[in-house]
Amino acid sequence: MIDTGSGPVHICLVSDTNLPNLNPALANISESRFFPPKRVLLLCGTGHLEQARYLKDTLVDHRLVVDIHTIDDGLDPIEISSLIGQISAVFETLSPEEKQLAVLNASGGGKALSLAAVSVFIRNNLPAFLVDTSNDRIVWLNGEERLTLDIPDNASLEDVLSGNGFKIIPPHPVRHDLNEKQILLGEKMAENVKKFSEVIGAFNGYMSRAKETEGYYQAGPVSHKLYKNHNFMKLVDCFCETGLLEWKKHHLVFRGQDAARFLRGGWFELYGYAVINQIKHDWAEQGYPVQIGDVASGVNIESPTGSRNEIDIAFLCNNRLYLIECKTGYFSPSSHPSGPSSTMLYKLDWLKDLGAPASKTAIFSYRALPDHDRERAQQMHIEVVAGWPDIAKLRVFLENWIEVPQTN
């Protein structure tokens, strides 16, 4: 049940980006009496009404009382007296108790709307703040509040996506309870990427032919050529150490379809997840300037128009959404630019508009990508980490890719 008692009230200005309104509304900051709010008023122009509705639905799910007030912002920026009047009328809907605990989040809206809202709060001797998205903190514009506050990353991936009109649909995202053997597999595969990337295609091809036979999940015998290939056999040894695979004479036997699916590429997705999770843990222990928030894999997303896509890894950090595709497949240098790799690239290009500010996207490929795919990724502002030595230095890439505040 939603608590309708009086308490802190956030008045927020809605624009294309919802995270600067979402994170403060979900924050519990002991250093300030304005967090967490009990009620949120969303002020928006007619062009952002739909965005306000998305944000309202998300906040209501967190048991907040939320109202939307449409402001006619189709005015010349110099003529803001009407805007001030409209915002003042909204302010007067608050009870006397609520007025004493009202605060303006002036991060969104156009310049005229923001200026008018700040003017109303200054006239009423009430505080207003901006979200410094590059440093993930609250900066006060006026009032007695002077302490710059870090914003805790309480928003989940579901919150961020729903706040922008997208839904996470089944099968639901996985927040892994990481298995030590599976993590060790990823580390060994990354260390040996130069050698193993040459034979992993043969291994994947072998697994794709596996089926249930006489109580075992297996393919035909491993060819003599592969059996004599040192790198192939060493790769198989790494997979056998997980307990999901074993030799039965010259056959490789898998512990069912799920095991084969994991060894055919799921391990690489889990490795990327594990590296991000380890950075998250290390940064939390070190008190690093930013902290990684929610992390999940296998995130199935539906757009407001009904289009659906799955992203392998998604995580939040410092008011930004990060999206990653993980591949162990082969992309031929001679393939047509509209071939299999284009699907992956255009999916990331579509998904990068989900976040606020714009998401950062990357491809992690265990094997090298053709030059034309790298060029297209660069044009789409999609980072590429592919083959040797990139995969062996995955953590270094992530530590440089994740944006951290600029220290003064």
Side-chain angles (χ1 to χ4, degrees), residues 96-114:
E97 294 80 10
E98 288 177 322
K99 287 179 181 179
Q100 296 303 312
L101 285 173
V103 61
L104 173 68
N105 182 347
S107 305
K111 290 182 180 180
L113 182 59
S114 181

Side-chain angles (χ1 to χ4, degrees), residues 256-278:
Q257 295 186 34
D258 289 342
R261 192 178 299 112
F262 173 77
L263 297 177
R264 195 164 55 237
W267 66 268
F268 187 49
E269 179 181 313
L270 187 65
Y271 175 63
Y273 180 99
V275 174
I276 295 164
N277 196 67
Q278 187 60 55

